[in-house]
Amino acid sequence: MVTHLRGTERTIVNQLIDRNLFTSTLTAQTTKATADAVKALKRTVVQQHVNHFLQELVGTIPENYQENLVWLVGPPREDAETVHILLATLKAVINVPELQGNRADRSVLTQTIVRQVHSEVPQLAEREIHRQITQLFVERFQLFTPDMPEYVPSNQDQEVIEYWNVDPDFNRIAQALVTHLLAKQETPPLTALQRLNRALLIKRSLNRTTTSSQLWQTLQAHRTELAQQWAELDRFDLECGDDYALLLDRTRTPSRAKPTVVAIAVARQIGEVGLPAAKLMSKIKQVTAVLFPDAAISPTLVKQALTELGLVTVRDAFIVATPIAQRFLAKTTSEEESHYE
């Protein structure tokens, strides 16, 4: 039987899915829905409903640190390099003098953080460290918000200085993340439905050829029950065919990134016939030259988008498009964007 969620509980679970965190401090930018959810989380019954739903869904409940939730679902451990950068960034931000006390201005100079982390992780270039910190703290955890100062027209060349606004709950979340990473973690025993939901949450698409026959049979037998679980969040539609399953997110916003547009075009071109893995990079360059002949687009970023969006899979040294590729529409205009059809 599916656990039914109230509106505030749904808000909490959706934020955990989006950023792996739910923070409790209210600011001027906090939406009413989030503020209501923060207040609701103080009630034991709300915590119980959230935990019960996520336990049923994927077999893991969030860890509660002073009403800040941390919910990391995925491999038992991040790779050592990611953990090193994550811990070094936490240390760097906590020690920034400008963030001591209860100052309203919580902006830190991006370059200061990057250089401090680089001193801890010297084997990586600062540019790569900046990329990984952005992926972790801006995109994944959403603990940093990019802040670019207003541009003032001038006849003189101006250097654009980047800042990050740091979440007011950063220190408490940092403690929670460190505790989680240092704790002995064991993968809990999961049911077949929990394993399926974990795979759908992480990959957003499954296909018959790369999923074990036993798990695929479970998916086909319980597709209605699985769809009802995801529908409880009022954002996901689970679409199951004879040889594929797609978890479609109605809240996904169009991407204006050129690498994403190229990735979608590449996936749709290679289709189910596939392409030898060795020829993927040349195919990316070919499609890029047609779509954006005057732009410098990194093939590596396009390849990354292919994986992150679940557009392709590897089958016998061939890159093959997944059914989800046909659910995207890519177009090039003055503002490039991609979205679900």
Side-chain angles (χ1 to χ4, degrees):
M1 183 176 179
V2 177
T3 298
H4 295 295
L5 298 175
R6 301 181 181 91
T8 52
E9 296 161 356
R10 194 173 289 119
T11 297
I12 294 168
V13 173
N14 278 323
Q15 287 201 25
L16 288 171
I17 287 174
D18 288 336
R19 58 184 295 211
N20 300 148
L21 305 173
F22 182 81
T23 55
S24 62
T25 296
L26 303 179
T27 68
Q29 289 72 43
T30 303
T31 64
K32 184 180 184 304
T34 299
D36 290 344
V38 168
K39 295 174 185 175
L41 188 61
K42 298 178 185 296
R43 299 166 52 203
T44 302
V45 67
V46 170
Q47 297 179 30
Q48 290 174 340
H49 280 178
V50 169
N51 289 347
H52 193 219
F53 178 84
L54 291 174
Q55 178 66 39
E56 285 185 331
L57 189 74
V58 295
T60 301
I61 65 174
E63 299 167 64
N64 191 323
Y65 299 88
Q66 301 177 3
E67 296 177 354
N68 292 282
L69 304 182
V70 175
W71 187 65
L72 303 181
V73 176
R77 289 280 181 185
E78 301 284 0
D79 63 81
E81 182 180 275
T82 299
V83 172
H84 198 177
I85 291 175
L86 193 155
L87 293 175
T89 304
L90 296 177
K91 177 182 175 182
V93 174
I94 289 173
N95 291 328
V96 170
E98 293 86 346
L99 295 182
Q100 305 304 317
N102 295 316
R103 291 183 48 177
D105 181 8
R106 296 187 58 79
S107 294
V108 296
L109 187 63
T110 298
Q111 193 59 33
T112 298
I113 302 302
V114 171
R115 286 177 178 167
Q116 184 61 42
V117 174
H118 184 248
S119 70
E120 300 270 349
V121 194
Q123 68 272 22
L124 295 180
E126 288 190 2
R127 183 174 180 179
E128 174 61 16
I129 289 173
H130 182 283
R131 186 191 70 79
Q132 292 201 36
I133 293 176
T134 298
Q135 188 176 53
L136 282 169
F137 288 90
V138 177
E139 298 170 2
R140 181 177 179 184
F141 299 136
Q142 299 174 34
L143 289 170
F144 296 167
T145 304
D147 179 21
M148 304 291 286
E150 291 186 10
Y151 175 78
V152 179
S154 170
N155 293 328
Q156 303 295 323
D157 291 338
Q158 299 181 52
E159 181 182 2
V160 178
I161 301 176
E162 182 183 4
Y163 289 84
W164 281 321
N165 283 323
V166 180
D167 190 286
D169 279 319
F170 185 88
N171 284 19
R172 282 188 287 177
I173 291 295
Q175 181 182 355
L177 288 171
V178 170
T179 302
H180 176 86
L181 291 170
L182 297 182
K184 182 179 180 181
Q185 300 172 38
E186 297 181 359
T187 303
L190 302 174
T191 67
L193 294 186
Q194 288 168 339
R195 292 201 304 273
L196 281 168
N197 280 330
R198 279 187 174 229
L200 287 166
L201 179 64
I202 295 168
K203 300 178 180 179
R204 301 300 171 96
S205 68
L206 299 174
N207 65 75
R208 187 172 187 170
T209 57
T210 58
T211 304
S212 70
S213 58
Q214 182 178 2
L215 212 55
W216 190 257
Q217 289 173 8
T218 303
L219 171 66
Q220 296 298 317
H222 296 274
R223 59 168 72 182
T224 300
E225 180 182 346
L226 291 167
Q228 288 174 344
Q229 282 185 302
W230 288 106
E232 189 61 31
L233 292 172
D234 197 26
R235 65 182 281 188
F236 292 108
D237 296 312
L238 180 60
E239 177 181 313
C240 295
D242 292 336
D243 57 357
Y244 71 91
L246 303 176
L247 188 63
L248 303 175
D249 187 349
R250 297 194 298 273
T251 66
R252 183 186 289 272
T253 56
S255 169
R256 301 186 186 278
K258 290 183 175 70
T260 301
V261 176
V262 175
I264 294 167
V266 168
R268 291 173 72 103
Q269 284 190 26
I270 65 177
E272 296 181 3
V273 175
L275 181 79
K279 295 184 178 180
L280 177 61
M281 296 303 276
S282 60
K283 180 66 174 178
I284 289 173
K285 293 176 182 178
Q286 175 192 347
V287 173
T288 301
V290 173
L291 294 180
F292 303 108
D294 300 321
I297 300 173
S298 166
T300 301
L301 292 180
V302 176
K303 188 176 179 181
Q304 183 178 327
L306 283 167
T307 303
E308 290 180 350
L309 292 172
L311 297 171
V312 297
T313 187
V314 180
R315 187 189 306 163
D316 298 329
F318 265 67
I319 305 294
V320 181
T322 64
I324 202 171
Q326 299 305 316
R327 292 298 187 276
F328 279 95
L329 173 65
K331 62 181 181 180
T332 57
T333 61
S334 57
E335 288 187 316
E336 294 76 26
E337 64 179 45
S338 64
H339 54 81
Y340 283 130
E341 289 183 309

